[in-house]
Amino acid sequence: MSAEPAESAESAAESAATTDRPAPAYLDERSGRRYPLTDPHRWRGDDGAPLTVTPLPGPAPVDVDTARRSLWRYRAAFPLPLAPVTLGEGCTPLLDGEWDGVPVSYKAEWANPTGSFKDRGASLLVSYLAHHGITEIIEDSSGNGGSSIAAYCAAAGIRARILVPEHTSPAKILQTRAYGADIERIPGDREATAAEALRRAGAGAVYAGHNWHPFFLQGTKTLAYEIWEDLGFRAPDNVVTVAGAGSTVLGCAIGFGELLAAGRIERLPRLLVAQPANCAPLYAAFRAGAETEVPVETAPTIAEGTAIRHPVRLPEVLRAIRASGGDLLAVPEQGIEEAVRGLARKGLYAEPTSATAAAAVTGFARRGVIEPGQTTVVVLTGSALKTAPVMERVIGGAPR
């Protein structure tokens, strides 16, 4: 963990004043209501709505601290001056390649310390909590989020209790437990686990739910900054990612949106989003032209990281996709399995959740959404090393 001093709150206020910008605040986009960033127990609005942070200026190339090999190279664009709780997250490879004849670049997020993109959000969130002297948190997760929060809490000396669905990957539970977190298996699915965590929120431990907390999104927005820097400070034409709760979608929307508003890029990349057909509430609402949930049937999926039937930020995710001129695609289980095997044959060992994004490239290209000559980045969110039982079945069934 880095032990660098944070800029004082007074210095931050003076900095905002000299640039004639209002101080950053939590924002309820649905009502327009704002809340100060000073309350570490605040993670949603008074009416239960999810919060974001008011828009901030995107960094200029000269603002990037290139001597820092982590996402904290973009700290000039964070809402508060914080002492980093860092394990070297960010700066993941962007690998040139192709998928089904379509030129793409793969953003290999498994190069993060705990093996998934969620380290981006965990670093900012835990840094914020540590800044406010929090000593104990509770979090709910289907695996990657919990292990990430546990790792950064370990680095910060914060006690973590992680609630997981009873059928969570054993490797992910083992990793979370290795960091010293208290693990509790909750009967039922991902939704039941979230409901139990919300029921307990505020009873001693601070709730640090990665699908809810605004500072988690402040970390995931660095994915956009990093792609921009990787491409020579340009935006790609398309970013293809997978969505459960939608934190990669919203992180990219926030980051590229800030870069656009600051004049660092000329246009937003299109956000092209994949969901497993067995659990696709965002896809169903998008296709219906709705702004809120529509009735949808769900079934188990091997893409366990996306098995969220009621995303808390569904309206915001849909709005971000539409604002970018993007699209959604539902991928059947067979397509996900084929993508797992296809990526592995390229040397890319992606968990099924990640592989869903690669599988969607084929569908988007066939529909003309991805056009020849465009720059397309595919976000591979996590490593298959943490899903060994599923991978054994998927790879074991592959033709030799």
Side-chain angles (χ1 to χ4, degrees):
M1 171 183 168
S2 165
E4 302 165 22
E7 180 186 359
S8 70
E10 291 78 7
S11 296
E14 290 173 5
S15 176
T18 57
T19 55
D20 295 321
R21 294 196 310 266
Y26 288 138
L27 173 65
D28 176 352
E29 295 181 357
R30 300 176 189 181
S31 69
R33 187 170 182 180
R34 300 185 180 211
Y35 304 88
L37 300 182
T38 52
D39 181 4
H41 298 273
R42 166 76 64 188
W43 50 273
R44 62 180 174 184
D46 288 344
D47 62 354
L51 302 174
T52 57
V53 173
T54 49
L56 297 163
V62 295
D63 296 325
V64 179
D65 184 356
T66 56
R68 193 180 296 271
R69 290 293 299 172
S70 80
L71 61 79
W72 290 87
R73 68 202 283 115
Y74 308 116
R75 67 188 300 176
F78 295 159
L80 286 178
L82 301 170
V85 178
T86 178
L87 297 170
E89 59 292 320
C91 295
T92 59
L94 187 68
L95 309 170
D96 290 337
E98 60 83 32
W99 181 262
D100 202 11
V102 179
V104 300
S105 295
Y106 296 103
K107 189 64 170 166
E109 286 292 282
W110 54 62
N112 281 298
T114 75
S116 88
F117 83 96
K118 289 183 176 172
D119 291 348
R120 294 180 182 273
S123 181
L124 263 289
L125 171 52
V126 175
S127 295
Y128 170 79
L129 296 175
H131 175 77
H132 286 285
I134 299 304
T135 60
E136 185 177 353
I137 65 96
I138 187 169
E139 148 82 325
D140 57 282
S141 170
S142 62
N144 281 331
S147 58
S148 183
I149 293 293
Y152 285 83
C153 282
I158 295 173
R159 181 182 177 185
R161 176 173 292 277
I162 311 296
L163 276 56
V164 300
E166 59 185 343
H167 298 300
T168 296
S169 164
K172 293 178 181 178
I173 291 177
L174 175 62
Q175 182 184 23
T176 304
R177 185 160 54 85
Y179 297 129
D182 298 323
I183 306 294
E184 186 171 345
R185 291 179 172 87
I186 303 299
D189 59 11
R190 181 68 179 85
E191 301 294 328
T193 304
E196 179 61 17
L198 291 175
R199 188 184 69 80
R200 300 188 194 182
V206 169
Y207 182 56
H210 64 277
N211 290 334
W212 277 95
H213 206 289
F215 267 80
F216 191 86
L217 293 178
Q218 287 297 300
T220 59
K221 78 177 182 181
T222 64
L223 183 58
Y225 293 163
E226 206 166 290
I227 292 170
W228 166 70
E229 184 181 358
D230 288 339
L231 295 176
F233 301 107
R234 295 183 298 108
D237 297 292
N238 310 300
V239 175
V240 185
T241 189
V242 66
S247 55
T248 56
V249 178
L250 290 174
C252 285
I254 293 168
F256 283 118
E258 290 178 348
L259 290 170
L260 180 65
R264 314 301 182 202
I265 57 176
E266 296 181 357
R267 49 170 174 67
L268 294 174
R270 287 185 297 179
L271 300 176
L272 305 180
V273 180
Q275 289 205 286
N278 281 10
C279 189
L282 291 163
Y283 171 81
F286 186 85
R287 286 292 167 224
E291 297 180 0
T292 57
E293 285 190 33
V294 299
V296 60
E297 294 185 5
T298 63
T301 174
I302 61 170
E304 65 177 3
T306 61
I308 298 177
R309 291 179 295 175
H310 305 289
V312 297
R313 298 180 186 270
L314 182 142
E316 290 75 22
V317 175
L318 293 176
R319 187 162 59 248
I321 296 169
R322 289 171 174 145
S324 75
D327 203 352
L328 270 144
L329 194 68
V331 182
E333 294 294 289
Q334 181 180 347
I336 298 172
E337 293 187 10
E338 290 173 354
V340 168
R341 295 191 287 265
L343 287 169
R345 293 191 186 106
K346 297 177 184 295
L348 302 172
Y349 200 51
E351 67 175 342
T353 296
S354 294
T356 308
V361 171
T362 300
F364 285 129
R366 287 176 179 171
R367 286 165 40 186
V369 178
I370 296 176
E371 300 175 6
Q374 291 186 329
T375 300
T376 299
V377 173
V378 179
V379 181
L380 299 178
T381 52
S383 170
L385 291 172
K386 297 198 279 185
T387 57
V390 173
M391 293 298 291
E392 175 65 28
R393 180 174 64 79
V394 172
I395 300 299
R400 301 294 180 185

